[in-house]
Amino acid sequence: MARRPTIARTVSSLRRAMQPYREAGEQIALVPTMGALHRGHLALVAQAQRRARRVVVSIFVNPTQFAPHEDFGSYPRRFETDIAVLTEAKADLVWAPSAAVMYPEGFATRIEPAGAAKAGLEDKFRPHFFGGVATVVAKLFTQVAPALALFGEKDYQQLRVVTQMAADLDLQLKVIGVPTVREKDGLALSSRNVYLSAQERTVAPTLYQTLKASAARIKNGESIARVLDDGRAEIAHAGFALDYLEARHTLTLAPIASRKDGPIRLLVAAKIGATRLIDNIGV
Ligand code: AMP
């Protein structure tokens, strides 16, 4: 039987638990999550284990990245199941602070990312999101002080924002992106997929299908504007309320009008019923 990972709930117990790793000079990788773990998260853990001797998984549903009307209250929380899953996956340490530990009375600092964080994608619909993410990720990075941190391409803009922040703040760690893990029908795994009704679940793969078809047409030389218009219509026709379907530069997330403008990433966000889904692929 695999050993349960150590669970740290305060900064001092985290430091104590990590002390032996540091003394032994072991490479440490961090996988930040909000829990309700699925195979997507486990792909990050597996990649972390390939690259580092010790893997720390943080589980923290970060209140500051949710707007008041969003799903902070109902976000799935399954701590015991997550620990069982991480035991099986042989993670070494789980960092699970409470909100009071992460943001003690009097906490007054916020990181305000720009660049990719202001690309007009997620930020347009969730204006507080990347400030909340950058602040909590900066804290996780300093608390754990890993050599590597792994993030999913599933949240592509977030991956770009965190990569930029680590560079801008001279943080001594490498941010690594991991390809999106999908269901057989193409739907990107997400903790939020549990919100989908059976009917919504049958429609949900439309996002990935549209991304794939659009990428193929753009690769074939069709006009990006035209392909995106068709894709937007298709997603709306399937029953989604579309937030955006965009073609952006892979690194800067700046708008792109033609294939000559650089490597392209297609990004989409749309609501089906009450559930907001996001996805993206490279062209
Ligand atoms: P979350 O718990 O949703 O905040 O996600 C924690 C980390 O897992 C983030 O870096 C996500 O991008 C990543 N992640 C979530 N879903 C997937 C997926 N389907 N494939 C790969 N990584 C994912």
Side-chain angles (χ1 to χ4, degrees):
M1 263 246 318
R3 209 177 125 267
R4 242 170 98 88
T6 306
I7 299 170
R9 296 192 174 273
T10 63
V11 175
S12 58
S13 70
L14 174 73
R15 296 215 167 111
R16 215 176 311 122
M18 296 192 66
Q19 194 58 33
Y21 309 164
R22 300 208 200 284
E23 277 165 9
E26 293 168 342
Q27 183 102 320
I28 296 159
L30 171 66
V31 177
T33 82
M34 299 205 298
L37 302 180
H38 51 64
R39 286 186 291 117
H41 299 111
L42 292 182
L44 305 193
V45 172
Q47 186 60 245
Q49 285 167 332
R50 254 170 251 137
R51 293 167 178 263
R53 172 70 182 86
R54 296 291 177 183
V55 174
V56 180
V57 177
S58 62
I59 297 180
F60 181 63
V61 185
N62 177 34
T64 70
Q65 70 193 59
F66 289 80
H69 67 276
E70 292 179 346
D71 58 346
F72 176 71
S74 60
Y75 194 85
R77 289 167 172 84
R78 302 202 218 94
F79 191 72
E80 277 314 313
T81 316
D82 289 345
I83 296 303
V85 162
L86 291 173
T87 301
E88 182 77 15
K90 301 189 164 68
D92 296 282
L93 177 59
V94 174
W95 169 221
S98 64
V101 164
M102 196 58 107
Y103 304 113
E105 186 81 23
F107 184 89
T109 299
R110 189 168 165 93
I111 291 183
E112 196 55 62
K118 303 286 183 197
L121 298 165
E122 284 303 285
D123 51 299
K124 191 163 152 200
F125 297 88
R126 309 183 70 187
H128 301 288
F129 181 68
F130 289 116
V133 167
T135 305
V136 81
V137 169
K139 285 190 58 113
L140 292 169
F141 284 177
T142 43
Q143 289 160 343
V144 176
L148 311 167
L150 294 99
F151 289 82
E153 287 184 352
K154 157 82 187 346
D155 300 277
Y156 193 79
Q157 190 177 6
Q158 169 174 282
L159 170 62
R160 298 308 321 153
V161 169
V162 168
T163 302
Q164 180 77 44
M165 178 185 75
D168 289 351
L169 299 183
D170 303 310
L171 302 181
Q172 283 216 41
L173 60 92
K174 195 167 167 200
V175 174
I176 292 163
V178 176
T180 303
V181 178
R182 301 177 179 282
E183 301 284 5
K184 278 209 177 70
D185 60 12
L187 176 66
L189 296 193
S190 163
S191 306
R192 289 191 167 98
N193 290 351
V194 300
Y195 299 151
L196 297 171
S197 71
Q199 199 275 331
E200 290 162 357
R201 177 62 189 80
T202 64
V203 175
T206 303
L207 293 185
Y208 179 61
Q209 286 156 9
T210 304
L211 287 174
K212 255 190 10 186
S214 304
R217 287 177 61 188
I218 290 170
K219 240 169 47 194
N220 259 330
E222 283 193 54
S223 135
I224 292 178
R226 167 106 160 269
V227 169
L228 293 180
D229 277 346
D230 289 352
R232 289 174 187 131
E234 197 171 315
I235 288 165
H237 185 251
F240 285 92
L242 181 70
D243 280 351
Y244 59 81
L245 170 65
E246 296 276 348
R248 295 300 182 94
H249 188 281
T250 302
L251 292 178
T252 64
L253 298 185
I256 252 179
S258 101
R259 283 177 67 201
K260 293 193 301 288
D261 295 343
I264 301 175
R265 198 90 192 170
L266 299 179
L267 304 102
V268 67
K271 268 213 198 94
I272 182 91
T275 306
R276 189 168 180 280
L277 301 177
I278 62 172
D279 202 349
N280 68 88
I281 61 171
V283 173

